[in-house]
Amino acid sequence: MYRLIVLLLLAACAPAPKTVAVGRYRAPDAPIYSNAVMDQGRLVGQWTQVAAFGGAACKPGGAEISKGAGGLQIRYRLCESGVQMAGAGPMSSEVVGRFDVPGQPGPWWILWADGDYRTLVVGSPNGRLGFILNRGPFPADRLKAAKDVLEWNGYDLRQLTVY
């Protein structure tokens, strides 16, 4: 009986789980930070989607980022919230690490890029999108780092599909 009381007291002290609204993947009151010291030119290239929130209903996609006369350009096909999304156009940015991307339900904030720009964690303050892009091999240590970044930014990892 004593053990049961101790377990109940410990459970009562545990932090409450973050509440995430339907159609959103992060807690609305959680802080979110973008990568403000990144070299945006290093985003140029082919990216493969390796994880997405709500992504179990469709196949992973990818993105191709190129440098155009007016800045970065993107062509993408991604699984987002269980729906295939596709688009192309300029990636406009007034703040380093934050982009408006045509056809997206919110801005793309680069939450993390590994030191060699092989893995990107993309999220949005409105919580309506979140995914991981990668190029080349995707080892377990980078997946763990990407998940840690998402969780730290308020994302509910139970809704993350890793492909």
Side-chain angles (χ1 to χ4, degrees):
M1 181 68 164
Y2 174 73
R3 286 183 182 175
L4 178 62
I5 292 171
V6 169
L7 287 175
L8 290 173
L9 287 172
L10 287 173
C13 294
K18 295 176 181 165
T19 303
V20 178
V22 174
R24 307 253 192 273
Y25 302 105
R26 62 180 299 277
D29 59 342
I32 185 169
Y33 302 93
S34 62
N35 189 334
V37 294
M38 65 181 303
D39 178 356
Q40 294 185 159
R42 293 188 70 186
L43 300 178
V44 170
Q46 290 284 133
W47 295 92
T48 301
Q49 186 177 26
V50 294
F53 284 91
C58 54
K59 295 180 181 178
E64 179 181 357
I65 300 173
S66 60
K67 186 120 174 139
L72 294 178
Q73 301 287 317
I74 188 166
R75 180 175 308 280
Y76 65 88
R77 183 190 57 77
L78 297 167
C79 181
E80 296 179 30
S81 301
V83 176
Q84 287 290 334
M85 303 284 287
M91 292 178 66
S92 58
S93 176
E94 293 186 21
V95 176
V96 174
R98 300 178 183 182
F99 299 93
D100 288 321
V101 176
Q104 290 294 285
W108 283 20
W109 281 24
I110 308 299
L111 306 180
W112 179 70
D114 74 299
D116 293 323
Y117 288 82
R118 297 164 297 182
T119 302
L120 295 178
V121 176
V122 180
S124 183
N126 67 17
R128 292 181 62 203
L129 66 88
F131 51 89
I132 302 170
L133 298 175
N134 191 69
R135 44 186 168 197
F138 189 50
D141 63 332
R142 284 206 317 264
L143 173 60
K144 181 182 179 339
K147 285 181 172 182
D148 289 347
V149 167
L150 286 164
E151 187 173 43
W152 193 77
N153 280 282
Y155 279 86
D156 178 2
L157 294 182
R158 294 172 299 183
Q159 299 185 68
L160 182 68
T161 300
V162 177
Y163 302 110

